[in-house]
Amino acid sequence: MEQFVLNCKDQILAKLVAFSKGPYWHVRLALICTLLAISVAFPSYYYFTKPAATLSGNWKAISAQIDSPLATQQHAPEMHESKIAFRLLMPVLGRLIPSESVKMRIGVLLFLQHIVGLLFYVFVAKWVEKLCGDKVIAVLVCFSFAFTFIGKSFFWDMEGFFDGVAFFLAFMAIYQYGIFTFVFLFLSFWVDERAIIASPLIYLYLRGTRGEMKLGELIKVDSVLCGYLGTVAGYIIIRTALSHYCGLHIPVSSGSAGGMHAWKQWPMLAMGIITPMSFFWFLLLIYSLFLLRNRKYAFVLLFGAALFVVNLAAFSVIDFTRSAAYELIAIFAALHALLESSSVEFGRSILLRICVVNAFIPGMYLMTQLYWMYPVIPHIIIFR
């Protein structure tokens, strides 16, 4: 059996080597990952066949935002629509759509998120190749993401949450350090507030990939710290001004969608934590042990604290999986350490295992209870 498994591994890697040859392999890979993500978590495109009167309240609220981004809307505190007052990036882009139809507006914005998903896979492949010089590892990383909630969110979302856009902007903030790092980071805050909660992971990534892991190095005043703090402060100042002068606000109470719901989700804690990243958690475990072995205690403490805060915030709201997925930058921090310090053969071996396990973990979504993200065939049977 050992020889059989080894032969299967060699055959898979050989096929991936052949696939990654030739021009535009990034694009071909991105297209396949897009189709794969859609097939294992098929979007509810039938939403667009509903009569206008039965359309999602969130769709109508976003359409109203497109008409007047800075106008206050009145919604019940427990409704998701009451939380989108400061999620202005997509409605502002929606103003470019020459139509007043709610379906047309949301359809264009969701199509844009599909395109962003395609670009996510293209840039992830380029990032991995640039880091380790191996196209096979790049293919394995992208396939691994396609089986996670993060990789599916660009396409599965038919409600107009636009988490995929925020994930893409967060990744582009670390893709190549420079002024655009903080531009992308700033824009991600205006897609969803969860991005600012997870933003310390981006700061730690920028420090860690430079080898700056001691406490003094983590808090030294330089372009990284000033850029990060300036970006966060700029968002807070603008948001405060919008709240004061335009009356924008979001309700937070135990009875609202942004209230404390941890007590309801506690029995599903274990599965909930797995849902956003699947077996990429294994990579994070290796990364943490590697840092501890190298006595990077300050970095491990802050990195762990940042992950804890993201998960605590996620468990305090109804849709845990969406919220916890904003920790995706932790995956790239672990990938960076793995690929920079390991051989190509070892990297391929680890990523192949992650990809295979991710492929067999069902796509689950925790929102006070676990939901299955239906693959294409069950979805068509159930919702035909």
Side-chain angles (χ1 to χ4, degrees):
M1 182 174 288
E2 177 183 357
Q3 191 58 46
F4 169 75
V5 172
L6 292 175
N7 288 339
C8 289
K9 173 187 172 183
D10 292 339
Q11 290 176 14
I12 292 172
L13 293 177
K15 290 183 181 298
L16 294 181
V17 168
F19 170 80
S20 60
K21 291 181 179 179
Y24 308 116
W25 69 274
H26 304 93
V27 178
R28 287 187 284 115
L29 173 62
L31 287 170
I32 291 175
C33 288
T34 296
L35 293 175
L36 181 60
I38 289 175
S39 66
V40 297
F42 195 69
S44 298
Y45 292 122
Y46 72 89
Y47 280 13
F48 289 95
T49 66
K50 292 183 176 182
T54 61
L55 291 178
S56 162
N58 198 52
W59 283 22
K60 296 175 182 178
I62 294 172
S63 183
Q65 268 190 312
I66 292 174
D67 289 327
S68 302
L70 302 183
T72 58
Q73 297 188 43
Q74 300 299 321
H75 299 286
E78 67 273 12
M79 302 301 294
H80 176 267
E81 297 91 292
S82 68
K83 310 302 174 188
I84 66 174
F86 296 100
R87 300 172 191 178
L88 296 172
L89 180 61
M90 300 308 289
V92 169
L93 291 177
R95 291 184 65 81
L96 301 175
I97 302 171
S99 173
E100 295 184 359
S101 165
V102 174
K103 288 185 180 180
M104 177 62 71
R105 286 173 164 180
I106 301 301
V108 171
L109 291 178
L110 291 177
F111 176 73
L112 175 62
Q113 185 169 231
H114 278 46
I115 299 301
V116 165
L118 185 77
L119 293 175
F120 174 79
Y121 287 111
V122 169
F123 282 103
V124 167
K126 286 179 174 289
W127 179 82
V128 174
E129 184 189 18
K130 181 173 62 175
L131 191 59
C132 67
D134 187 63
K135 296 179 180 179
V136 172
I137 292 179
V139 173
L140 289 171
V141 169
C142 288
F143 281 167
S144 298
F145 267 111
F147 290 112
T148 66
F149 173 83
I150 295 169
K152 301 168 186 172
S153 62
F154 301 96
F155 319 104
W156 182 71
D157 170 28
M158 285 289 113
E159 283 289 342
F161 297 140
F162 302 117
D163 298 303
V165 176
F167 297 158
F168 175 74
L169 292 170
F171 171 72
M172 292 306 295
I174 67 165
Y175 178 74
Q176 187 170 345
Y177 178 74
I179 184 63
F180 285 106
T181 292
F182 304 109
V183 172
F184 287 124
L185 182 61
F186 181 74
L187 291 175
S188 72
F189 296 165
W190 296 104
V191 179
D192 197 298
E193 298 85 356
R194 294 167 176 84
I196 198 168
I197 297 173
S199 65
L201 289 169
I202 293 179
Y203 174 75
L204 291 172
Y205 173 92
L206 297 175
R207 288 297 193 195
T209 53
R210 295 176 167 204
E212 299 171 347
M213 295 187 175
K214 296 180 179 179
L215 182 58
E217 295 170 332
L218 291 170
I219 61 175
K220 72 177 180 180
V221 179
D222 60 3
S223 62
V224 178
L225 181 62
C226 292
Y228 172 70
L229 293 180
T231 302
V232 173
Y235 170 77
I236 293 174
I237 291 170
I238 295 173
R239 177 169 171 146
T240 302
L242 291 175
S243 179
H244 180 73
Y245 293 106
C246 302
L248 299 184
H249 71 284
I250 56 174
V252 178
S253 67
S254 60
S256 70
M260 296 295 291
H261 287 268
W263 63 276
K264 294 181 180 179
Q265 303 183 101
W266 177 257
M268 293 164 284
L269 174 62
M271 277 301 300
I273 290 177
I274 293 173
T275 54
M277 299 191 295
S278 299
F279 201 53
F280 272 122
W281 273 110
F282 173 68
L283 186 59
L284 286 182
L285 176 62
I286 295 176
Y287 180 50
S288 300
L289 294 174
F290 172 75
L291 292 174
L292 289 172
R293 178 67 178 80
N294 287 278
R295 300 182 178 181
K296 307 297 184 182
Y297 301 126
F299 188 85
V300 171
L301 180 62
L302 293 175
F303 190 78
L307 285 174
F308 175 78
V309 168
V310 172
N311 281 278
L312 179 63
F315 240 79
S316 299
V317 296
I318 290 177
D319 42 4
F320 173 84
T321 300
R322 278 186 58 220
S323 304
Y326 279 79
E327 63 198 3
L328 80 159
I329 298 303
I331 298 176
F332 291 104
L335 280 171
H336 191 284
L338 171 71
L339 301 179
E340 191 177 49
S341 61
S342 307
S343 65
V344 168
E345 181 180 357
F346 181 74
R348 288 181 176 183
S349 179
I350 291 293
L351 267 304
L352 179 59
R353 285 165 171 78
I354 291 175
C355 184
V356 170
V357 175
N358 280 359
F360 282 94
I361 295 178
M364 304 299 291
Y365 181 86
L366 177 57
M367 189 172 67
T368 65
Q369 65 182 35
L370 285 169
Y371 296 91
W372 185 26
M373 300 169 71
Y374 297 111
V376 57
I377 301 301
H379 191 286
I380 291 175
I381 293 174
I382 293 171
F383 297 105
R384 62 183 178 179

